Amino acid sequence: MTKIYIPFLAATLLASCAGNDVADKSTNTASAEKADDRDYHTLSNADSVAVTHLDLDINVDFDKRQISGSAHWDIRQIHPSNHVVFDTEDLTIDSVVMDDGSKADFKMGALDKELGKALSVAITAQTKSLTVYYKTGNATALQWLAPQQTASKKTPFLYTQSESIYARSWIPCQDGPGIRFTYNAKVKVPKDLLALMSAENPQQKSADGSYSFKMDKPIPAYLMALAVGDIGFKSIDNRSGVYAEHSMLDKAHKEFEDIGGMITIAEKLYGPYRWGRYDVLVLPPGFPIGGMENPKLTFSTPTIITGDKSLVNLIAHELAHNWSGNLVTNKTWNDFWLNEGFTVYFERRITEAMQGKSYVDMLWELSHQDLEASMKGLPERDTWLRLNLKGRHPELGLTDVAYEKGAHFLWLIEKTVGREKFDIFLKDYFNSHAFQTMTTSQFLKYLDEKLLNGHDDWKKAIDINAWIFGPGLPANCPTPDRERLSKVDAMIKKFEGGAIAADLGIKDWSTYEWLHFLRNLKTSVKAERLADLDKTFKLTQTPNSEIADIWFVQAIKAEYEPAYPAMKSFLLVTGRQKFLEPLYRTMMETGKAQMAKDIFAVSKENYHPLAQKNIEGIIKGDNKYE
Ligand code: BES
Ligand code: ZN
């Protein structure tokens, strides 16, 4: 369930990486590979000349669908160099100006299909800062929505998604997770719109569409974010609130009203929240992912707003990133599990504190099912926690391995050393590495020094190597109690044995019981059985996107046609790839290619460019990632 279906671009990238020996079997390269902490996904020379601060001054032009302006960068020269190199993707560089007003010499490198182009600027030993004047092209990070794609239908909307390496498509920057900088920004937008960033934010519109932002903590480029639209704000407490399009605001506020308590729980676990305010921005439904941990302002899909708070663990996840990820950041995308695995573990701890153990045990179980399923489709080398993405796009690391194998590994450590000791360890880990980057080997060293040293029995029980530098799911993987889901298993049996829905005695099921029930129904369930379930539980009409998605998958398989109109409406507005992918794929796999094409033709415009590409791949039949 925590699966982010479809690494962006997976289809195209896999094809283009076919010549790359993914599972490098030669053992003598193994130790060199483990020690190689270079970031292969930035073209910058941040090891020699690193940016430290950005003053961004940009204009957002909805007619041209273009951002233009300047990026003034302060730089620090670590090793002597006569140039500083930035990442760019489809940017036009108009000029580069030195502090004394003189034009700098610059040149663009050759186009790398995945990494973009290097912008290399000549500097002297005295250069402390410079300004790049630029405009965006077809920027991967930007989704521009026409007015009719918003709730109000009156004004356009724009949002960014910079992770993993897309910040370079709207700002010339040193775009690696190991490179941090503070920033100020001036952003000019049409005057009836509000602009928000991953920074201190306004709570209401300005008179003339000019906004100023400040982020005084150093962050990596993938956390640069901007959203512009007819957005309102509603406060939750003195340090948190919700932003959304006006018609969503009250609903979103109600769903997220417990966020204050969530932050307090997180702080009790792993130390103070260090970013000042914590707000959530609810985006239009085309947002291609579930959530993004932009500092001070989590970006969220509206598909978690169900009316019963059952999907707010996604907010717990993005909140948790303010420790794991935003405070202590993976140095390279090979160490992605340090961001996501830690965050899933932390998210579950928050959820456990809020909902109880038997509830969170269901999340562990369902995610374990996801993990097993997705590992089956991955090349063996991509199932190690420490990835090797050299020469490949970082999105290929965006699988359940980083998330769930990572979280299960931490859960195993917790179970081995005891929760109390592990919590102290983690709190110290976040505190002592705040605003720093972390590699897998640094983490393992720290783990050994601070927690495992002198405890050979623990080390043996955990078997770090098998988890980090080995494939699949080691045999010592912890499993949750199945107190609640075993009852669901009994219901599945009963239903498959012929019992009618009304006689199952299902009541007070949470989302997760439903998900377990629906996803584990045999593929041979016939349409009339689904009709019976639907009549009793109104599943076609469910306001819960997670339940709807798996229900529609079953409906496609069983050709339960009464669910199709609702499914089509769902696919028309929802751009979240986790939901799109299984539905389009199931249509393709069950001989309904025409239906998939027809739905895609009318819905396409509402999907993010990357999601469009991905679904096109599925429809063409060339996405064989899993
Ligand atoms: N940071 C990720 C999203 C991401 C990762 C985007 C890598 C692009 C590249 C975010 O925190 C995330 O994990 N979102 C999940 C939420 C879920 C795990 C609760 C999502 O969008 O589904
Ligand atoms: Zn995450």
Side-chain angles (χ1 to χ4, degrees):
M1 182 186 6
T2 52
K3 170 171 226 155
I4 300 196
Y5 267 87
I6 306 315
F8 294 143
L9 297 177
T12 16
L13 294 170
L14 264 187
S16 70
C17 294
N20 199 313
D21 187 6
V22 173
D24 184 355
K25 295 202 175 62
S26 84
T27 41
N28 52 0
T29 58
S31 57
E33 187 198 302
K34 276 188 211 175
D36 183 0
D37 287 330
R38 255 176 306 167
D39 181 350
Y40 288 98
H41 299 109
T42 174
L43 298 169
S44 76
N45 64 340
D47 288 343
S48 302
V49 184
V51 299
T52 57
H53 178 79
L54 166 67
D55 283 293
L56 189 68
D57 189 347
I58 52 174
N59 179 55
V60 176
D61 185 332
F62 279 94
D63 295 330
K64 289 196 194 142
R65 296 196 157 188
Q66 185 175 67
I67 289 179
S68 61
S70 63
H72 177 92
W73 285 106
D74 292 343
I75 58 173
R76 188 164 64 93
Q77 303 204 26
I78 305 159
H79 301 297
S81 177
N82 54 12
H83 59 283
V84 53
V85 185
F86 300 92
D87 292 291
T88 72
E89 188 204 311
D90 204 12
L91 298 182
T92 302
I93 307 300
D94 295 319
S95 63
V96 182
V97 176
M98 300 311 242
D99 277 348
D100 63 5
S102 64
K103 291 246 158 116
D105 275 340
F106 72 89
K107 63 172 196 286
M108 303 298 289
L111 174 67
D112 179 304
K113 239 173 66 207
E114 287 161 14
L115 305 181
K117 285 184 189 170
L119 160 64
S120 177
V121 182
I123 56 170
T124 68
Q126 283 72 46
T127 308
K128 299 226 158 29
S129 64
L130 49 85
T131 309
V132 183
Y133 290 85
Y134 73 100
K135 38 180 131 24
T136 57
N138 208 347
T140 317
L142 305 181
Q143 187 168 10
W144 301 89
L145 301 182
Q148 60 275 19
Q149 291 168 301
T150 66
S152 75
K153 315 245 179 276
K154 290 201 186 91
T155 44
F157 206 105
L158 165 70
Y159 53 80
T160 62
Q161 171 53 38
S162 297
E163 193 177 12
S164 52
I165 54 168
Y166 305 123
R168 63 190 70 178
S169 75
W170 66 288
I171 304 172
C173 58
Q174 294 191 324
D175 195 4
I179 309 156
R180 307 177 90 88
F181 54 89
T182 51
Y183 77 89
N184 297 330
K186 282 191 192 146
V187 180
K188 182 87 176 70
V189 305
K191 83 171 181 344
D192 45 352
L193 303 183
L194 181 70
L196 300 169
M197 290 191 80
S198 49
E200 269 169 42
N201 275 306
Q203 293 181 349
Q204 57 203 26
K205 288 176 200 162
S206 69
D208 63 351
S210 299
Y211 296 91
S212 298
F213 301 90
K214 187 181 167 78
M215 167 46 80
D216 59 7
K217 311 272 189 299
I219 61 165
Y222 79 86
L223 295 176
M224 290 301 298
L226 170 69
V228 181
D230 185 10
I231 299 167
F233 172 78
K234 199 165 172 183
S235 171
I236 292 173
D237 60 26
N238 61 357
R239 65 168 160 174
S240 52
V242 181
Y243 291 91
E245 288 188 85
H246 298 280
S247 61
M248 267 308 265
L249 198 52
D250 285 336
K251 257 174 109 180
H253 185 266
K254 185 94 203 81
E255 199 83 17
F256 298 151
E257 66 189 0
D258 303 329
I259 282 180
M262 219 183 237
I263 305 173
T264 310
I265 288 169
E267 289 187 308
K268 273 202 195 112
L269 281 167
Y270 300 129
Y273 177 76
R274 297 178 188 243
W275 302 86
R277 291 194 59 86
Y278 180 74
D279 295 313
V280 176
L281 166 64
V282 179
L283 289 162
F287 189 49
I289 60 172
M292 179 64 212
E293 65 271 26
N294 298 314
K296 287 178 173 285
L297 184 65
T298 283
F299 282 19
S300 163
T301 171
T303 59
I304 57 167
I305 297 172
T306 56
D308 66 3
K309 302 181 183 172
S310 64
L311 302 178
V312 293
N313 64 300
L314 184 135
I315 301 297
H317 178 96
E318 305 312 334
L319 172 67
H321 268 306
N322 286 292
W323 287 257
S324 43
N326 299 4
L327 205 55
V328 186
T329 311
N330 53 207
K331 172 153 186 287
T332 75
W333 298 116
N334 285 338
D335 307 300
F336 189 48
W337 77 277
L338 294 177
N339 272 20
E340 297 299 342
F342 274 68
T343 298
V344 170
Y345 173 80
F346 191 170
E347 164 207 329
R348 301 253 157 90
R349 293 294 306 276
I350 295 171
T351 305
E352 183 179 324
M354 294 181 78
Q355 307 284 344
K357 177 174 177 305
S358 70
Y359 187 88
V360 90
D361 275 342
M362 295 193 289
L363 298 185
W364 281 113
E365 168 70 23
L366 289 167
S367 64
H368 193 271
Q369 292 171 9
D370 285 332
L371 177 58
E372 296 273 13
S374 63
M375 285 227 223
K376 285 198 188 116
L378 292 172
E380 199 178 87
R381 179 62 184 86
D382 287 348
T383 68
W384 298 21
L385 278 181
R386 172 53 152 78
L387 297 167
N388 181 6
L389 295 166
K390 184 176 170 185
R392 298 188 295 151
H393 198 286
E395 302 297 348
L396 291 174
L398 186 46
T399 73
D400 275 332
V401 172
Y403 285 79
E404 294 299 341
K405 187 179 176 184
H408 279 79
F409 173 60
L410 297 175
W411 198 27
L412 171 66
I413 304 178
E414 180 211 304
K415 285 183 176 293
T416 308
V417 310
R419 181 170 276 194
E420 206 180 321
K421 284 203 174 56
F422 192 50
D423 281 352
I424 294 170
F425 165 79
L426 280 183
K427 199 181 218 170
D428 289 346
Y429 168 72
F430 291 126
N431 275 326
S432 56
H433 299 94
F435 304 108
Q436 293 172 28
T437 52
M438 182 62 55
T439 65
T440 299
S441 39
Q442 279 170 319
F443 171 71
L444 293 180
K445 187 161 170 273
Y446 186 81
L447 176 70
D448 191 63
E449 280 169 17
K450 302 287 176 184
L451 191 65
L452 304 182
N453 194 17
H455 294 276
D456 287 347
D457 50 335
W458 288 351
K459 289 189 194 175
K460 212 166 144 222
I462 297 168
D463 194 2
I464 289 175
N465 266 313
W467 282 82
I468 308 278
F469 305 110
L473 209 47
N476 61 356
C477 182
T479 49
D481 291 336
R482 303 186 79 265
E483 187 192 327
R484 289 172 70 166
L485 293 187
S486 59
K487 292 187 188 131
V488 179
D489 287 338
M491 297 291 181
I492 294 174
K493 258 211 172 123
K494 226 168 136 185
F495 182 73
E496 285 174 352
I500 62 161
D503 289 347
L504 289 174
I506 294 174
K507 57 175 195 307
D508 302 331
W509 267 8
S510 72
T511 300
Y512 301 100
E513 274 132 338
W514 273 114
L515 292 180
H516 185 67
F517 181 84
L518 291 173
R519 64 156 69 168
N520 289 298
L521 285 180
K522 290 223 176 65
T523 42
S524 53
V525 171
K526 295 271 184 310
E528 61 263 27
R529 306 296 326 271
L530 295 191
D532 174 34
L533 279 176
D534 203 12
K535 195 176 92 222
T536 313
F537 300 110
K538 310 277 172 285
L539 292 165
T540 299
Q541 266 71 51
T542 177
N544 185 308
S545 56
E546 294 278 355
I547 294 175
D549 200 58
I550 181 69
W551 172 248
F552 293 146
V553 166
Q554 295 292 11
I556 299 167
K557 285 185 183 161
E559 293 175 2
Y560 173 58
E561 292 183 6
Y564 289 1
M567 176 190 69
K568 289 178 188 168
S569 320
F570 182 73
L571 284 172
L572 182 66
V573 294
T574 312
R576 191 174 170 192
Q577 304 203 71
K578 173 186 177 180
F579 295 148
L580 303 185
E581 198 267 355
L583 291 173
Y584 282 101
R585 193 183 288 285
T586 309
M587 284 185 250
M588 295 307 294
E589 284 168 359
T590 56
K592 301 178 187 67
Q594 197 53 47
M595 178 163 145
K597 283 180 197 157
D598 293 345
I599 298 176
F600 184 58
V602 293
S603 311
K604 182 175 170 175
E605 282 308 303
N606 296 332
Y607 302 162
H608 188 280
L610 289 166
Q612 291 186 18
K613 217 179 219 169
N614 167 38
I615 302 301
E616 252 154 35
I618 292 177
I619 289 178
K620 278 198 211 122
D622 60 11
N623 189 346
K624 292 283 174 257
Y625 193 83
E626 318 183 24

